[in-house]
Amino acid sequence: MGSHRILIVEDEERIARVLELELEHEGYVTNKVFDGLDALSAFRREEYDLILLDIMLPGMDGMAVLRRIRQGSHVPVIMLTAKDDVIDKVNGLDLGANDYVTKPFDMDELLARIRVALRQSTQVPSLAAADLSINEESREVLRAGESIDLTPREYDLLLYLMKNKRHVLSREQLLDGVWGYDYYGDTNVVDVYIRYLRNKIDKPFDVPLIHTVRGVGYVLKES
């Protein structure tokens, strides 16, 4: 357990200190920050296995911090807040939070939720790029926490792109990898299915992930 690193983002220093002591007593390695901007800096500077994230923060609120984190990471996030509003819970979960605990919380319950989140994060076989993820076991595709419905061929193409992310692939490579070596049809089928994928994976979202490399082919990469 000692290898698990947890970032505590909590503006009430007394609560942050209690969390720090309890977590370190359980064998976790911790770092604590007291505002949203410092949270993002700490997240970008070091690798964490889980983040405890308060919603009401100076500098940048927890929802905005979570949104930034989910642009490039699937690290487990448990929201901590004094608010007990269903809308806040729904918004946090929609943005990609893994769990939500309302203050005042029971420490044993929080520790149990942390163990569950860490266990789930290591058990789920998934590929990720920015806020896009593929669970190969369930064939579930998520972007920004939203489930994406793909046909079998669209899924196979996306999976191949994801497994080769940041590598530019020619149409011929995509045909061989997705359609098979015995496919003798037009390579334009790749362009057609790339368009289908973009309509589902990129068009509804702010940041495109599937890019055209003129004269070569396609690449899936974070901007």
Side-chain angles (χ1 to χ4, degrees):
M1 185 182 298
S3 62
H4 287 138
R5 296 179 56 82
I6 297 179
L7 176 62
I8 301 166
V9 187
E10 168 60 64
D11 66 326
E12 294 186 50
E13 294 192 27
R14 180 184 60 82
I15 294 177
R17 179 57 176 161
V18 169
L19 288 169
E20 179 183 47
L21 291 173
E22 291 286 346
L23 291 172
E24 291 185 353
H25 178 73
E26 293 294 316
Y28 297 107
V29 177
T30 67
N31 181 26
K32 63 181 188 296
V33 295
F34 307 108
D35 68 65
L37 294 175
D38 285 345
L40 280 181
S41 296
F43 165 74
R44 290 165 177 163
R45 190 169 55 247
E46 297 183 53
E47 291 283 337
Y48 291 97
D49 299 295
L50 184 138
I51 298 175
L52 295 177
L53 179 61
D54 190 20
I55 287 184
M56 302 298 289
L57 294 168
M60 177 184 291
D61 68 62
M63 293 294 188
V65 173
L66 177 60
R67 189 179 295 109
R68 298 284 186 90
I69 288 172
R70 283 293 176 257
Q71 288 176 357
S73 172
H74 293 270
V75 61
V77 176
I78 297 177
M79 306 297 288
L80 303 176
T81 181
K83 291 187 175 182
D84 191 16
D85 193 311
V86 172
I87 295 299
D88 288 317
K89 293 182 180 181
V90 169
N91 288 341
L93 294 171
D94 281 347
L95 286 173
N98 298 76
D99 207 345
Y100 198 110
V101 178
T102 303
K103 301 174 189 175
F105 47 80
D106 179 83
M107 185 58 67
D108 288 336
E109 179 186 355
L110 177 59
L111 291 171
R113 289 174 182 266
I114 288 171
R115 288 193 294 271
V116 169
L118 288 170
R119 187 163 61 245
Q120 289 176 342
S121 71
T122 58
Q123 287 179 345
V124 177
S126 63
L127 297 166
D131 57 354
L132 174 69
S133 66
I134 299 176
N135 184 314
E136 292 188 77
E137 189 173 83
S138 65
R139 294 176 67 91
E140 184 180 27
V141 177
L142 298 174
R143 179 141 197 210
E146 179 180 334
S147 181
I148 307 293
D149 184 28
L150 300 179
T151 67
R153 184 69 76 189
E154 291 167 351
Y155 173 86
D156 290 343
L157 178 57
L158 180 64
L159 183 64
Y160 195 78
L161 287 166
M162 185 77 91
K163 286 185 173 181
N164 293 277
K165 67 179 180 179
R166 294 189 290 274
H167 294 283
V168 180
L169 300 170
S170 68
R171 290 171 178 81
E172 290 75 16
Q173 286 175 304
L174 290 169
L175 278 175
D176 290 343
V178 179
W179 278 263
Y181 289 100
D182 55 351
Y183 178 82
Y184 294 106
D186 197 321
T187 59
N188 285 342
V189 70
V190 173
D191 303 317
V192 171
Y193 273 86
I194 288 289
R195 185 168 69 251
Y196 292 160
L197 272 184
R198 280 175 164 159
N199 285 337
K200 295 180 178 181
I201 297 297
D202 283 343
K203 192 173 181 180
F205 302 93
D206 294 333
V207 180
L209 295 175
I210 300 172
H211 304 271
T212 301
V213 180
R214 191 177 301 276
V216 182
Y218 299 98
V219 60
L220 188 148
K221 65 178 181 179
E222 302 93 334
S223 296

